[in-house]
Amino acid sequence: LVSRTTAMVEKYFGGTLPDARQDDPMDQELLSMADALRDKYEAHMEKFAFQSALSEILTVISRANKYIDETAPWNLAKEESLKPRLATVMYNLLDTIRRCAILLSPVMPDAATKIFTQIGAASSVTTWEAAGTAGLLPATVRIARGEAIFPRIDPEAELAALEASAEAARKAAQPELELEPFSTEHVDFETFAKSDFRVVKVK
């Protein structure tokens, strides 16, 4: 969601939203869910139901992704007269991301910090109190796209790395092989003839 939203803000507005806005009834469901999120999250956390608390956040994130499909920003961007509407959609997404990231920060502190930086959220709007209030991002918020916060994993590369790591650990666990030094003494034929050589198969 962060990647999709910041990419669109950069593509359609050069990274900074204009202050012109145009609301639409289809915004209401997402905004209402975002408004109710902190209280639902807090109720679960008070009961130590961490999974349920995180599930509430993921539900809003899922709804935000659906909101993108519903509003179709790529179509709004085709007409200059619809730019205020497009700016509203982008702002709603950025502000929803801000509120979700605040609530994710206890379990994903590093990722949340990166999200705040990318969506242009100052520390004053990333507090617990700020999670309960909509519209705290500046109207002309500027995003700062960075590297993907959750990059896609290459299964083959990851598997190869795991196998290499396991092999290194296996070798490290083995005792060092001790070799006796070769003898430099010469043996006369009589002594050699007394030697008993046998061929064996080690199973």
Side-chain angles (χ1 to χ4, degrees), residues 9 18-19 27 53 55 68 87 106 109 113 118-119 121 127 162 164 166 173 184 196:
V9 173
D19 55 8
D27 302 336
S55 180
I68 292 176
T113 298
Q118 291 196 16
I119 66 172
T127 62
L162 286 172
T184 57
D196 183 9

Side-chain angles (χ1 to χ4, degrees), residues 17-159:
L17 291 183
D19 55 8
R21 294 287 187 270
Q22 181 183 335
D23 297 328
D24 189 279
M26 72 168 56
D27 302 336
Q28 197 53 49
E29 184 178 350
L30 174 63
L31 298 181
S32 295
M33 289 179 68
D35 285 339
L37 178 59
R38 195 188 75 163
D39 289 343
K40 291 181 177 180
Y41 172 92
E42 183 176 18
H44 290 304
M45 292 297 264
E46 288 290 344
K47 299 175 183 176
F48 302 102
F50 306 126
Q51 183 175 352
S52 298
L54 295 175
S55 180
E56 295 288 354
I57 301 173
L58 295 176
T59 297
V60 174
I61 291 173
S62 178
R63 184 65 186 83
N65 274 308
K66 182 180 178 183
Y67 176 72
I68 292 176
D69 297 331
E70 292 172 343
T71 55
W74 44 89
N75 288 332
L76 297 174
K78 294 177 181 178
E79 296 185 37
E80 191 64 30
S81 62
L82 296 178
K83 284 296 181 73
R85 175 61 191 147
L86 178 58
T88 301
V89 171
M90 294 296 103
Y91 185 87
N92 290 341
L93 289 167
L94 290 172
D95 203 49
T96 297
I97 291 170
R98 173 188 67 85
R99 300 172 80 174
C100 289
I102 293 172
L103 303 181
L104 283 171
S105 60
V107 292
M108 302 171 65
D110 293 340
T113 298
K114 292 177 182 178
I115 291 172
F116 295 143
T117 299
Q118 291 196 16
I119 66 172
S123 59
S124 60
V125 299
T126 61
T127 62
W128 168 255
E129 291 74 19
T133 305
L136 293 185
L137 287 175
T140 55
V141 61
R142 178 167 184 78
I143 60 98
R145 284 194 75 196
E147 60 183 17
I149 297 172
F150 305 108
R152 293 183 182 278
I153 295 175
D154 182 345
E156 292 185 3
E158 288 294 318
L159 186 58

